[in-house]
Amino acid sequence: MPSEDSKPAKQKVQKITEQMAKSSLKQNEIKYNLKVPKGTRDRDPVQMTVLEGVFNTIIQCFKRHDAVTIETPVFELKEVLTGKYGEESKLIYDLQDQGGETLSLRYDLTVPFARYVAMHKIKSIKRYQIGKVYRRDQPAMTRGRYREFYQCDFDIAGDYGPMLADVECLRIIYEVLSELALGDFVIKVNHRRLLDGLFAACDVPADKFVTTCSSVDKLDKVPWEDVKRELCEDKGLSVQTADKIGFYVQLSGGIDLVERLESDESLNNQPSAKAALQDMRLLLGYCEALGIKDRIAFDLSLARGLDYYTGVIYEAVLKGFTYNPNCANSGSGEAETTSACDEPIAVGSVAGGGRYDGLVGMFDSSGTRVPCVGFSFGVERLLAIKEALATSDKNKSIVRSTETDVMVAGAHKGLIMQRLQCCRLLWDAKIKATMSHKNHPKLLDQLQYCETTGIPLAVVLGEGELNRGVVKIRDVQTREELEVPYTEVVNKIKEILSSKRQK
Amino acid sequence: MPSEDSKPAKQKVQKITEQMAKSSLKQNEIKYNLKVPKGTRDRDPVQMTVLEGVFNTIIQCFKRHDAVTIETPVFELKEVLTGKYGEESKLIYDLQDQGGETLSLRYDLTVPFARYVAMHKIKSIKRYQIGKVYRRDQPAMTRGRYREFYQCDFDIAGDYGPMLADVECLRIIYEVLSELALGDFVIKVNHRRLLDGLFAACDVPADKFVTTCSSVDKLDKVPWEDVKRELCEDKGLSVQTADKIGFYVQLSGGIDLVERLESDESLNNQPSAKAALQDMRLLLGYCEALGIKDRIAFDLSLARGLDYYTGVIYEAVLKGFTYNPNCANSGSGEAETTSACDEPIAVGSVAGGGRYDGLVGMFDSSGTRVPCVGFSFGVERLLAIKEALATSDKNKSIVRSTETDVMVAGAHKGLIMQRLQCCRLLWDAKIKATMSHKNHPKLLDQLQYCETTGIPLAVVLGEGELNRGVVKIRDVQTREELEVPYTEVVNKIKEILSSKRQK
């Protein structure tokens, strides 16, 4: 055994290596703060398995809708981001000036997409993009709010028939949320121009539209009384104006609501409201043609925070779904909380977006407009729910974080070369296989590894069997063993795996 | 048509919206620098299709070898990166101090992996990770050197039998490069401790090992004469010492070279060299058992720049493969350059790595050692080659950047509701389908879209046919049309697609 012979030599070598390390790696003495930056986290193999499953469902749906994908850098020139996020701009991460350009980490995927469309002079594109974005927000990690988090965006750019691209976005949200099987959901829909007209009809001064919008946007989290107080005390609106707003923004419905608002005289005097209601009528008709009408709610309280929206806006909410990340028992709203858990919390919106017809033009000095509509999945929330479900007590089967089908095990000491050669056979045949990297692993440990990681088969090699030209194939779960000629091992394993898959 | 009626209203609304935008989006007047940060780039849909293919091959291979995957944040506490990269540390990107922690963008995936292993107190793991890393290097984009680029890492952590984890890494590099079908390749292998012993045998002072190593590392790019000059003039070694080094580092071979060096008297006096040669003998034997011996070259000139390597090191090189990113005609070394192209250049190494047994311990105040071995694929180089091949003249078939199977087309004006309803049928059946978002698209334009993007089938809807309860299914390539009952359209399309796939 070479490892035995060379012990003194190895010790000397290690000493030299350590001395070298000390001289070249000067930080050796520092006590490390073993943590990740505030508001970020590592994702472990089980979490990655859940992520792969969710992303795969989403990507397959995007591909079913004729989408391409693109990628943009994780940072942009700072000026690209400036002036796109209103009050939220203070949450942008900047890079240190190390000589050269002034750079910022992307805050979402929408602004980089608009920059991409303008820069490459694209007239129409339907694209998805999945990537991490960065916000220096106060992290609330137990509630799933991180400083580094995934967004998963789908957007359609181009000048099309009204509401056609918009309704496809709603259909995609519908398909993904249905396939993810997270229970009942609703997609709230509203229109920025309707809000504008509505504010005008309520006598909000034109220069207070944006700030009024951002107050109304809070209505899904706080009661109307609080929003009203903010509008009057902080934003300086009259009580009468606030009450008028309050009347409208608490309305919700379907095509009936469109009709009711169409006959509302004060809205009728507002061209922007009138145009928006025509859009809404068309959109709801298209929703019916696409079979998603029952999941859509025209909801006047929906406002959305970001400055760049110009038309239809929407947000999907899981109905009655609560989860508690500190507790394995997250359920589907059956209000059964155990004492070990905190109060379950509503997950909030899991997708949101809208039309932003002005954003691309902001990047083009000639002002060429490229109308856009799209949305982001709140994928971190979807992942948190799926993780909770995957690891809950109700789900007793293990979550496999590998896909390995076969363990090549030694029945006794050594057999290193024999195990390597057998792995080679399997890998050459594209079979997912592994072996212990120990020189002398115990059979029990090797089989235990199969059980804990879910590997269904083991090829057990033994000196005696090998001399007879045979090996054993063992079903890890049933513990049944089958002796086969070594020359037949690949074919036999393929046969067993394919019959297991059909079950 | 709502879009016609509401024109004056729409114009007014747009004006209001624009005014709002001007007041809230203060940067409106700035002329945008329409570009991405230096050394970065966008990836377009065709490039993304190539990327998906290459990543998929690599990930499937990692999964075939029992690997899990993890994720770490894109930035780390600066102190985590400090002191790990020697002279290269100056290339690290720092984030601006906006109050809080001092953060840096990750420079590779190896140091974050070691931090992960130490922080989560992991004793053994076999993981892959794909992600972007950041280096403020002088970009050479025509040669594929970027400041933001993908790394694709595979590592095995744990205390195992010598060389067993190491040889699996070599096997994985072999499998991926074989499957990517990029022609002949060689994996050069060397050992850091052998270099240490060799330098000692050549009378290099111990405190100059690291710097000597980094000079020798340049041997794949510059001739020995230049390295020798650097060793003597910049590093202060004697000519005699440099000549001795020169004798060794120009040797390359297989097990024969191990034997030759084992009988070299001055190396024999160096314990680290002796131990390293035992490792190499074992490794080459294992390579034979795994069927990859012919692709392995024991090459004493291989040094690898990074400070953290402590044992076996390796690097894979595509033999005779040249490419020229400015030129579509990149080939497999057949030395046929057209006048339109620059001189083709060697792609350099496409994978590299080694053993780094000390890195995890640097993060653990109790100094717990977790030995590691692993590698990165130089995936940007692999992508550049694959892109050049995919878009070369020789490859006349289009590179599809979507997977859409069916276009729902209107034979004449309008038919909006009918097209939507037909899409709904197909999407409900999980068929990849699309329709034009125009209100009145021309049939020719719709079929043209199929041809340019590679959609194989069109469902053509016409008023007359719909009244008879039938639709036409058109094969875009052959232009054959088939009339089927509307109720049969889903089944018929599935049937045609499955027979196309079998071809």
Side-chain angles (χ1 to χ4, degrees), chain A residues 15 28 68 92 127 132 148 182 223 240 259 322 325 362 368 370 419 430 433 449 498:
Chain A
K15 216 167 182 180
N28 222 20
V68 300
I92 293 172
R127 85 88 182 78
K132 284 180 176 168
E148 175 188 58
L182 298 170
Q240 203 189 3
E259 278 159 13
T322 58
M362 289 177 67
T368 309
V370 181
R419 287 186 286 136
K430 306 269 183 256
Y449 180 81
S498 110

Side-chain angles (χ1 to χ4, degrees), chain B residues 261-271 273-274 277:
Chain B
L261 295 173
E262 277 173 343
S263 61
D264 179 305
E265 209 169 314
S266 52
L267 283 184
N268 243 320
N269 290 330
Q270 301 296 332
K274 221 172 154 178
L277 287 170

Side-chain angles (χ1 to χ4, degrees), chain A residues 13 25 32 42-43 52 63 66 71 83-84 98 115 120 136 150 168 171 404 428 437 449, chain B residues 25 32 42-43 52 63 66 71 83-84 98 115 120 136 150 168 171 272 404 428 437 449:
Chain A
V13 169
L25 307 171
Y32 280 97
D42 295 323
R43 235 181 262 265
E52 257 183 45
K63 291 194 170 178
D66 198 40
E71 246 181 30
K84 310 297 185 304
Q98 292 170 292
R115 193 267 308 146
H120 300 285
R136 292 182 56 257
Y150 272 109
E168 186 166 15
R171 168 79 196 191
T404 313
D428 280 349
H437 286 135
Y449 180 81
Chain B
L25 307 171
Y32 280 98
D42 294 323
R43 237 181 260 264
E52 257 182 47
K63 290 195 170 176
D66 198 40
E71 247 181 30
K84 310 298 185 305
Q98 293 169 291
R115 192 267 307 146
H120 301 285
R136 293 181 58 258
Y150 272 109
E168 186 166 17
R171 167 79 197 192
S272 70
T404 313
D428 280 349
H437 285 135
Y449 180 82

Side-chain angles (χ1 to χ4, degrees), chain A residues 27 30 32-40 93-98 105 136 147, chain B residues 73-82 92-106 115:
Chain A
Q27 300 295 320
I30 290 183
Y32 280 97
N33 242 334
L34 257 193
K35 57 179 190 179
V36 292
K38 186 177 175 186
T40 71
Y93 273 99
D94 294 328
L95 265 68
Q96 194 176 304
D97 182 2
Q98 292 170 292
L105 296 186
R136 292 182 56 257
R147 292 182 158 196
Chain B
V74 81
F75 42 67
E76 295 275 347
L77 298 183
K78 187 179 170 64
E79 65 200 77
V80 166
L81 306 190
T82 308
I92 293 173
Y93 273 100
D94 293 328
L95 265 67
Q96 194 176 304
D97 182 2
Q98 293 169 291
E101 302 154 324
T102 307
L103 306 174
S104 302
L105 296 185
R106 62 188 176 201
R115 192 267 307 146

